[in-house]
Amino acid sequence: MSWDEKDVWHPDREFIEKAQLTRLAQRLGVDGYDALYELSLRDPDTYWREVNRFCDIRWSMDYQNYCDLSRGAPLPSWFVGGELNWVDTVLDDAERAERSAIIAEGENGSVRRLTYSELRDEVRSLAAGLLHAGITRGDRVGLLMENGVEATVSLLAISYIGAIAVPLFSGFGADAIMSRLQSCSAVGLIATSGFLRRGSFVDVRATIAAVRSKLAGLRLVVLKRSLEDPAQPDADAPYVTWEGLRRSAADAPPSARMSPNDPFMVIFTSGTTGKPKGAVHVHGGFPIKIAHDAALHFDVDADAVFCWPADIGWIAGALVLSAALLRGATLVCYDGAPDFPTWSRMAELIERHRVTHFGASPTLIRGFSTHEATSTGADLSSLRLLITAGETIAPEHFVWFQRHFGRGTRPLINYTGGTEVSGALLANVAVRPIVPAGFNARSPGIAVDVIGPDGAPVTDAVGELVVLGPFVGMTAAFWNDEERYLDTYWRTIPGIWVHGDLAMKTGTGDFFLLGRSDDTIKVAGKRVGPAEVEEILVEIPGVREAAVIGAEDPVKGQAIIAFIACDDAKQDVIGPAATRRVREQFGKPFAPRAVYVVSQLPKTRSMKIMRRVIRSIYSGTPTGDLSSLVNPESIGEIERVIAGE
């Protein structure tokens, strides 16, 4: 990794003194991040006890032991003897009752606001309705909704009664929804009839009807009619309507008393092969980890206005919701295309709602940078902190975002974890210098390292990102598939969580992600992460995005194949430029054997580029689960380009 020293962000003394991390360290009697991290590993009981106090986690019965490992490291029990419902931390603080909880903006410009008091009433109203409809503790309930007030209320209400939410991507088809709901024996589904995308109504009714007809176990299907829905009112008749389900908030009993190890969410993530994995998250895991990360990594306090557009169907949706509401901040939701009607949409939203904390995926940041004048034209002076996550980011785009949205004076938090770990394994803390595209911290409480092929820690070399023991926030297992969970994370190196990411730890203590382990390319005996090559390719003028895969090669073992997304550039121009750039900057052995230019790369809704899909197309092997793709039409284009059509 290379960058200029001028691109490194440095906190000033005032920022460090006011930071949430500094306050927690002082309460624990230590000085700074390094001492805090060391304490979190050396004395986790003391650390997590103070985190619970600092984050004001509401326990209805205090716990006795931080962790019980009697079933082994992969299957810990957290906060033994305690009792809580994580929703209480959001709703049961009288001091925040009249503060703004949610600002929800739609693509059509509509805005709805709720205070914490109003949010509590909405949650209790829906909770009472769910109970009246027969949904009980432990029942699984699907959530197929656009980001906004109702999705937030639904997730909280399901947890409030002790049921288990199953978030679903709003772009899923019927088969993808059915496979997920069926695998966890869901008995309910709360869905929206449709939503706006780029000014057009996307009708979801046919999908809901197909799911309902094929899943006999669905006892309750609730339909929230979209304001833009052109269907006649009688089209709602087959379902329980959102308004028809809700009852008086006074009818709701107190929130259900839950063990810290009781599930509140099963969220599915697609693997390279096989059926989607249902990660189980518990009341004493995910919410506590996210409250912790919101304070230490995002520096969120009650004055924060937090916006990070994310689909409720992915882990980022629950993460963003929890990061804001568990800290008593204001959550700004946006439902729509981030570049509609123009690339000014997000900047104008920031100005309109005086957003202080703004998150964006690397893909969205690249879009901003190619439309700089428009995307940065509004007043961004309210921003205090920026976040990026979801995939690797090139240093140039990291620096651009920090300079143009953060004015060069606001920190950009690079954050990485995953569906199965709740929040961060690695992230930035704003009390230390932040290098472009890097991570300056291991998240406290998690023993993270990078190891080589022999299992020993490595520095300044590509290795596997691992966690050396159990940690708060890790999935309790996969739903009804404990063996697959153990095989996926714990059995490659017994007793160690192998995360599946390639990473590098530098001599200065910074970390960099270099792609997924199954994306590793080994050219002439040297392992290389695809992100290292992709960083070079996106520097070429006209290149929007790049994806690099490895292909079998009789001489080198593997050779690099590059796929480049451009708007107008031609193959005969970009191909030679890409080959030359990699040869000059990375070395002759790594020059791509082939370069393909396309208009788009296959991506998930969270904007991760699906290298495994590209690799499967190129090699002619089955592509596996494609339900999470937001642009399946990209597959046909890649097939045609490879075939030379």
Side-chain angles (χ1 to χ4, degrees):
M1 300 290 173
S2 62
W3 60 83
D4 293 332
E5 179 60 31
K6 63 181 175 58
D7 295 329
V8 178
W9 180 82
H10 292 270
D12 59 28
R13 182 178 297 276
E14 181 182 8
F15 194 104
I16 294 172
E17 290 176 350
K18 291 182 177 180
Q20 300 285 304
L21 187 148
T22 301
R23 290 179 51 213
L24 177 62
Q26 290 171 344
R27 288 173 57 158
L28 283 163
V30 297
D31 184 17
Y33 163 77
D34 288 332
L36 183 74
Y37 181 75
E38 182 182 344
L39 172 66
S40 74
L41 300 186
R42 184 182 70 250
D43 189 359
D45 296 80
T46 296
Y47 181 76
W48 286 105
R49 174 67 68 181
E50 190 56 43
V51 166
N52 272 275
R53 294 192 191 104
F54 186 80
C55 295
D56 198 21
I57 303 298
R58 300 301 176 97
W59 291 84
S60 50
M61 182 183 297
D62 195 9
Y63 64 90
Q64 282 77 55
N65 301 312
Y66 142 77
C67 184
D68 175 6
L69 295 178
S70 59
R71 294 192 299 159
L75 299 168
S77 295
W78 300 107
F79 305 110
V80 179
E83 178 185 270
L84 82 165
N85 188 310
W86 77 273
V87 176
D88 293 346
T89 300
V90 175
L91 301 180
D92 286 359
D93 187 342
E95 292 183 3
R96 65 173 71 165
E98 299 312 313
R99 292 210 304 264
S100 177
I102 303 175
I103 301 172
E105 179 173 317
E107 191 180 84
N108 63 359
S110 63
V111 176
R112 185 179 174 192
R113 302 171 185 269
L114 290 184
T115 65
Y116 273 91
S117 176
E118 291 167 334
L119 175 61
R120 176 181 171 83
D121 287 346
E122 290 285 335
V123 170
R124 287 172 57 83
S125 172
L126 187 63
L130 289 169
L131 290 168
H132 183 75
I135 301 298
T136 60
R137 181 189 183 106
D139 284 344
R140 277 75 65 202
V141 179
L143 197 57
L144 183 67
M145 306 186 82
E146 77 283 18
N147 194 19
V149 168
E150 289 86 356
T152 303
V153 168
S154 296
L155 181 61
L156 294 172
I158 291 167
S159 296
Y160 184 96
I161 66 173
I164 301 170
V166 186
L168 301 161
F169 167 43
S170 58
F172 274 152
D175 288 346
I177 295 169
M178 284 188 292
S179 69
R180 287 157 174 79
L181 295 182
Q182 192 169 44
S183 70
C184 64
S185 303
V187 300
L189 172 64
I190 304 175
T192 305
S193 66
F195 45 87
L196 282 183
R197 284 297 178 270
R198 302 190 181 281
S200 299
F201 183 71
V202 179
D203 195 334
V204 185
R205 287 179 181 273
T207 300
I208 298 169
V211 171
R212 187 180 188 224
S213 68
K214 294 181 180 180
L215 289 183
L218 282 181
R219 303 196 306 262
L220 176 69
V221 179
V222 180
L223 185 73
K224 181 193 78 70
R225 171 184 277 265
S226 171
L227 294 176
E228 296 80 21
D229 192 341
Q232 295 299 312
D234 59 6
D236 298 344
Y239 308 102
V240 176
T241 66
W242 172 270
E243 290 301 325
L245 177 70
R246 297 169 72 245
R247 302 177 73 82
S248 169
D251 292 341
S255 58
R257 301 301 84 199
M258 311 301 293
S259 160
N261 299 287
D262 283 338
F264 80 93
M265 178 170 66
V266 176
I267 186 160
F268 286 87
T269 179
S270 298
T272 303
T273 58
K275 63 182 181 179
K277 302 169 291 187
V280 178
H281 287 298
V282 298
H283 281 259
F286 178 99
I288 295 175
K289 168 63 173 168
I290 299 307
H292 168 276
D293 285 11
L296 272 63
H297 295 302
F298 304 154
D299 203 39
V300 176
D301 56 19
D303 294 327
V305 181
F306 194 98
C307 179
W308 183 353
D311 194 288
I312 198 70
W314 303 122
I315 195 68
L319 186 158
V320 171
L321 179 158
S322 302
L325 299 182
L326 284 166
R327 297 292 294 153
T330 300
L331 171 66
V332 176
C333 303
Y334 174 69
D335 171 41
D339 60 346
F340 186 85
T342 73
W343 277 98
S344 66
R345 186 60 185 261
M346 290 294 96
E348 291 171 352
L349 180 146
I350 291 167
E351 176 182 348
R352 188 160 40 249
H353 304 303
R354 307 307 295 162
V355 171
T356 62
H357 292 61
F358 181 67
S361 69
T363 296
L364 183 56
I365 293 168
R366 291 192 291 269
F368 289 149
S369 69
T370 57
H371 300 84
E372 182 177 309
T374 306
S375 68
T376 62
D379 179 7
L380 303 175
S381 62
S382 62
L383 290 173
R384 289 167 23 196
L385 181 142
L386 301 168
I387 306 165
T388 188
E391 58 180 314
T392 56
I393 184 170
E396 66 178 277
H397 295 126
F398 188 98
V399 171
W400 183 93
F401 191 43
Q402 199 264 336
R403 285 181 181 170
H404 290 83
F405 271 68
R407 306 182 305 287
T409 62
R410 302 295 184 259
L412 172 52
I413 305 303
N414 206 5
Y415 186 84
T416 186
T419 301
E420 295 91 334
V421 301
S422 299
L425 298 181
L426 301 171
N428 286 322
V429 290
V431 298
R432 310 178 83 186
I434 297 173
V435 300
F439 305 87
N440 67 9
R442 293 172 279 196
S443 193
I446 307 182
V448 181
D449 211 338
V450 178
I451 62 172
D454 60 356
V458 294
T459 300
D460 293 321
V462 178
E464 286 274 0
L465 186 69
V466 298
V467 185
L468 305 179
F471 53 95
V472 173
M474 60 186 271
T475 178
F478 298 152
W479 185 266
N480 286 339
D481 203 347
E482 190 175 285
E483 286 300 307
R484 187 181 182 195
Y485 158 69
L486 295 172
D487 286 341
T488 301
Y489 291 111
W490 292 98
R491 286 175 173 158
T492 302
I493 306 174
I496 292 178
W497 175 292
V498 179
H499 193 56
D501 279 336
L502 290 176
M504 181 185 294
K505 179 177 65 177
T506 70
T508 59
D510 293 301
F511 290 79
F512 295 89
L513 284 190
L514 304 172
R516 296 293 293 171
S517 298
D518 54 12
D519 293 333
T520 306
I521 305 168
K522 197 168 186 178
V523 178
K526 182 182 178 184
R527 294 202 311 170
V528 60
E532 295 178 274
V533 182
E534 291 162 1
E535 282 181 13
I536 296 171
L537 296 176
V538 297
E539 294 173 353
I540 300 172
V543 173
R544 260 189 298 111
E545 297 171 321
V548 166
I549 63 169
E552 295 302 315
D553 185 271
V555 177
K556 300 178 181 179
Q558 281 190 306
I560 288 174
I561 310 295
F563 291 81
I564 295 176
C566 303
D567 291 322
D568 303 312
K570 296 181 180 179
Q571 172 79 41
D572 58 357
V573 175
I574 289 295
T579 301
R580 183 171 59 254
R581 183 70 65 94
V582 175
R583 181 187 296 116
E584 292 173 352
Q585 297 192 26
F586 209 77
K588 185 176 179 180
F590 299 95
R593 188 175 73 189
V595 178
Y596 298 98
V597 177
V598 294
S599 64
Q600 58 181 327
L601 299 171
K603 287 182 284 191
T604 66
R605 181 62 177 272
S606 58
M607 295 302 159
K608 290 183 180 180
I609 295 172
M610 298 289 280
R611 295 190 194 94
R612 70 163 177 84
V613 172
I614 298 172
R615 187 167 57 247
S616 296
I617 296 171
Y618 186 84
S619 63
T621 58
T623 54
D625 180 22
L626 300 178
S627 58
S628 62
L629 284 185
V630 72
N631 58 340
E633 68 277 7
S634 63
I635 293 176
E637 181 184 7
I638 290 174
E639 290 173 337
R640 291 190 295 273
V641 169
I642 291 173
E645 298 177 8

